[in-house]
């Protein structure tokens, strides 16, 4: 069955330090992978996606993600965290059997401390 | 800049009352999704449409929830009768038809059923 795991409920980093939010997936075919961010009392905002090609994908607000097929991972990264990056982050994968439906992780709460 | 819009943004109602939530997808998008977000369950897909036709509503409690797209610019989610356990944030998202297409989310309707 297709699934997405975000193994950390919460990640804490100091401002200026690099951050990583982890995501692993399981799909039967080629994965299409997405990251979204949700700020308090807001809708989800699209950050970036991996479709094919270069394993390092660059997105909005200085975020990037690295696709690793052998480890079935798609970790979100940023070289230098900002306090304003504090939010809830969701990873999602397109269901290979239903190419319109996304399978979602449970989210990771990122806290960036000044 | 094209956005998904949702109304109302907040709704407080009493148990047993009918609730209708509305969504205007981004012009040109032919898939529309309804999600529910709670602290306990995370992000749940309730239903989705392609070209206004319902494709999957397996995530929706059938006895009280209904979703429709009367035209390409309007999607509705109705709860009748509402119950306190329906209290949640309801998001609408729209996207294109390709498996690589991104879903774009509206700001959500925060529903409180007393």
């Amino acid at each position: 069955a297709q699934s997405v795991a975000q193994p950390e409920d919460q990640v804490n980093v100091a401002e200026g330090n690099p951050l990583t939010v982890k995501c692993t997936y399981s799909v039967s075919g080629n994965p299409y992978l997405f990251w979204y961010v949700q700020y308090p009392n807001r809708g989800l905002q699209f950050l970036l996606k991996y479709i094919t090609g270069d394993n390092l994908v660059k997105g909005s607000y200085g975020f990037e993600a690295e696709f690793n097929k052998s480890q079935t991972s798609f970790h979100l990264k940023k070289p230098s965290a900002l306090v304003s990056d504090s939010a809830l982050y969701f990873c999602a994968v397109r269901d290979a059997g239903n190419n319109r439906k996304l399978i979602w992780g449970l989210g990771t709460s990122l806290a960036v401390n000044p | 800049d094209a956005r998904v819009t949702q109304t109302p943004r907040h709704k407080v109602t009493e148990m047993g009352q009918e609730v209708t939530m509305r969504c205007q997808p981004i012009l040109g998008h032919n898939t529309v999704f309804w999600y529910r977000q709670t602290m306990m369950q995370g992000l749940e897909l309730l239903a989705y449409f392609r070209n206004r036709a319902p494709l999957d509503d397996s995530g929706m409690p059938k006895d009280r929830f209904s979703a429709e797209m009367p035209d390409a610019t309007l999607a509705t989610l109705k709860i009748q009768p509402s119950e306190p356990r329906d209290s949640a944030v309801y998001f609408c998202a729209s996207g294109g038809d390709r498996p690589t297409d991104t879903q774009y989310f509206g700001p959500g309707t925060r529903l409180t059923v007393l």
Side-chain angles (χ1 to χ4, degrees), chain A residues 32 34 36 38 41-44 46 49 51 90 94 98-102 104, chain B residues 33 35 37 43 45 48 50 56 91 97 99-103 105-107 110:
Chain A
Y32 300 133
F34 299 78
Y36 286 78
Q38 185 180 27
N41 301 311
R42 305 282 295 274
L44 279 72
F46 169 69
K49 63 183 176 183
I51 303 302
F90 289 95
R94 188 82 71 189
N98 179 329
N99 64 17
R100 298 172 188 90
K101 200 161 115 174
L102 282 172
W104 293 87
Chain B
F33 303 81
Y35 289 92
Q37 186 179 35
L43 198 61
L45 178 66
Y48 73 96
R50 178 176 178 259
D56 187 345
F91 289 107
D97 199 34
T100 55
D101 285 335
T102 300
Q103 289 182 21
F105 281 72
R110 181 176 295 276

Side-chain angles (χ1 to χ4, degrees), chain A residues 69-86:
Chain A
K69 188 172 183 178
S70 62
Q71 297 185 4
T72 62
S73 67
F74 189 55
H75 300 333
L76 182 70
K77 301 182 180 185
K78 187 173 182 181
S80 178
L82 300 172
V83 173
S84 57
D85 293 328
S86 299

Side-chain angles (χ1 to χ4, degrees), chain B:
Chain B
D1 147 56
R3 297 185 182 192
V4 176
T5 59
Q6 290 186 246
T7 57
R9 293 293 311 278
H10 298 89
K11 176 73 176 178
V12 180
T13 191
E14 293 189 349
M15 182 173 61
Q17 297 298 303
E18 179 178 296
V19 175
T20 298
M21 291 169 270
R22 294 177 174 82
C23 166
Q24 181 172 14
I26 292 172
L27 189 65
H29 284 180
N30 64 344
T31 56
V32 174
F33 303 81
W34 282 106
Y35 289 92
R36 176 170 64 183
Q37 186 179 35
T38 61
M39 291 292 291
M40 297 300 294
Q41 300 293 332
L43 198 61
E44 303 173 90
L45 178 66
L46 298 175
Y48 73 96
F49 295 77
R50 178 176 178 259
N51 294 328
R52 296 174 54 202
L55 284 194
D56 187 345
D57 61 1
S58 59
M60 209 160 62
K62 299 293 191 302
D63 55 338
R64 300 183 299 107
F65 284 60
S66 61
E68 295 180 342
M69 276 201 77
D71 62 61
T73 65
L74 177 64
T76 63
L77 179 67
K78 190 174 294 187
I79 308 174
Q80 168 62 22
S82 57
E83 297 180 1
R85 59 181 167 152
D86 301 328
S87 297
V89 182
Y90 291 81
F91 289 107
C92 173
S94 71
D97 199 34
R98 298 171 300 178
T100 55
D101 285 335
T102 300
Q103 289 182 21
Y104 292 94
F105 281 72
T109 295
R110 181 176 295 276
L111 174 65
T112 302
V113 183
L114 303 175

Side-chain angles (χ1 to χ4, degrees), chain A residues 35-67:
Chain A
W35 274 103
Y36 286 78
V37 61
Q38 185 180 27
Y39 297 102
N41 301 311
R42 305 282 295 274
L44 279 72
Q45 295 179 34
F46 169 69
L47 276 178
L48 51 80
K49 63 183 176 183
Y50 171 81
I51 303 302
T52 187
D54 194 347
N55 289 341
L56 187 64
V57 179
K58 293 190 184 296
S60 306
Y61 312 123
F63 283 93
E64 57 190 26
E66 187 169 9
F67 172 65

